[in-house]
Amino acid sequence: RYISTFRPSVKCEVAKNKAQWKTMGPAKVAVPSPKNFLQKHSKEPKLPARKKEQDSKKLPALSVPRRTDHPVVGIQSKKNFINTNAVAAITGLPKKPQPIYVDRRQGDKYLLETSGLVPKYIKKKDYGVTPKYVTRRIEEMKRAQEEYEAGILEHLKKRAMKQLSDEERRSLLQGLKKNWEEVYREFQGLSVEIDTIPKKIYKEKLESQMKQLEHDIEVIEKHKVIYIANE
C-alpha cells in the first residue's frame, strides 16, 4: 500500500508540540491579587473638583427670618375685637342662600342658576334682537345678489334676452298644468288591454309628454327668475 514520505517528519513534529496542548492557554498565568477588587463607582467618569467662587458679591436678602432673629414683643392693640365683630354682625346684611332644587323627594340638591330652569336669558336687554353680524351678512348677501342680477342683465342685453315677468311666468305655469291635465285625461282614456303596436306607441307618446310637462313645471316652480331669447 501507499505510504507517504512525510510520515516520519509529521510524527516528529507531533511529538515535539504535544506537551504544549496539555493545558488551556499558557501554563503559567498571573493570578489577580485579592486586594485589587472592583470597587463601587470605580468605572464612572470623575468630574474635576469644583472651584470656589471668589466673587465679592453679597448674598441676596432672605425672605425668611434668620435663626438669630427674635420676634417683636410688647406691642399691644387697643382695639376691642369682640365689640367690633358684634357690631359688624348686627349691622351687616344677612347672606342670601343660593337657590337650589331637588330632583325628587329624597334626591340630591343642585344649584338652580346653572340648571337651565331659571329664565335669565329671556330677561336680557338684547334678547330677541338680531345680532349685528347677522344684519351685516344679510346686507352683504343682498348687495351681492344685486350685483349678480345687474351683471346678468348686462350679459342678457348683449345676447338679446329678456326676463319673464311674474304674470307671464304664472300664465305659463298654468298653461303647462292645463296641458298636463289634458294629456293625463287622454292617458286615462286608454283601453285596459294594449295588444296592438299603435296602442303601445300612443301610450309611450303620452307618457313622454307627461314626463316632459312635469319636468317643465318643476323647473318653472323652482326658479323664480326666468330669461328667454327674443324672437
Side-chain angles (χ1 to χ4, degrees):
R1 63 182 181 179
Y2 173 77
I3 298 173
S4 176
T5 56
F6 299 102
R7 186 173 183 181
S9 62
V10 170
K11 284 184 177 181
C12 292
E13 292 291 335
V14 170
K16 287 180 181 178
N17 300 326
K18 190 173 182 180
Q20 296 181 3
W21 299 341
K22 287 185 178 180
T23 59
M24 295 294 293
K28 293 181 180 181
V29 180
V31 181
S33 175
K35 296 181 180 181
N36 298 330
F37 56 87
L38 185 63
Q39 297 181 356
K40 187 178 182 181
H41 304 294
S42 61
K43 291 188 177 182
E44 293 181 358
K46 295 182 179 180
L47 298 176
R50 185 177 179 181
K51 296 181 180 179
K52 294 183 179 180
E53 296 181 357
Q54 298 179 358
D55 298 336
S56 60
K57 295 181 180 179
K58 294 182 179 180
L59 296 175
L62 299 175
S63 60
V64 296
R66 296 180 181 274
R67 187 182 298 175
T68 57
D69 294 344
H70 298 285
V72 180
V73 183
I75 298 175
Q76 295 181 359
S77 177
K78 295 181 180 180
K79 183 178 179 180
N80 192 345
F81 290 95
I82 298 174
N83 294 338
T84 54
N85 291 339
V87 170
I90 293 169
T91 59
L93 296 174
K95 187 178 179 181
K96 294 182 179 180
Q98 288 184 333
I100 58 175
Y101 77 98
V102 183
D103 52 0
R104 57 182 185 271
R105 186 174 181 182
Q106 295 178 349
D108 299 328
K109 296 179 180 179
Y110 302 97
L111 292 176
L112 188 61
E113 185 178 357
T114 58
S115 64
L117 301 174
V118 181
K120 64 178 182 177
Y121 291 102
I122 61 175
K123 293 182 179 179
K124 289 185 175 181
K125 294 181 180 180
D126 57 349
Y127 179 76
V129 180
T130 306
K132 293 182 179 180
Y133 73 93
V134 176
T135 55
R136 186 170 58 252
R137 187 172 298 174
I138 291 172
E139 291 176 358
E140 291 176 357
M141 290 174 64
K142 286 183 180 179
R143 195 181 306 113
Q145 183 67 23
E146 290 175 358
E147 293 176 359
Y148 175 73
E149 290 179 356
I152 285 181
L153 287 174
E154 291 179 0
H155 183 69
L156 293 176
K157 285 179 181 178
K158 293 179 181 179
R159 292 193 174 187
M161 297 183 74
K162 67 176 183 178
Q163 180 181 352
L164 285 180
S165 62
D166 294 338
E167 295 180 359
E168 292 176 350
R169 176 176 170 275
R170 199 179 300 109
S171 62
L172 179 62
L173 190 61
Q174 290 177 359
L176 289 173
K177 289 182 179 179
K178 186 177 180 181
N179 293 338
W180 184 86
E181 290 176 358
E182 292 178 357
V183 176
Y184 183 72
R185 194 181 300 111
E186 292 181 4
F187 183 80
Q188 291 290 332
L190 293 175
S191 60
V192 177
E193 186 177 357
I194 299 174
D195 52 354
T196 60
I197 294 175
K199 289 182 180 180
K200 291 181 181 179
I201 294 172
Y202 185 61
K203 180 184 177 184
E204 292 175 357
K205 180 182 177 182
L206 293 177
E207 289 176 350
S208 63
Q209 288 180 1
M210 283 193 297
K211 286 182 180 179
Q212 184 63 35
L213 289 170
E214 289 174 357
H215 178 265
D216 296 340
I217 291 169
E218 184 180 358
V219 170
I220 293 174
E221 287 180 346
K222 186 176 180 181
H223 300 88
K224 294 183 179 180
V225 181
I226 299 173
Y227 297 94
I228 60 173
N230 291 328
E231 296 179 355

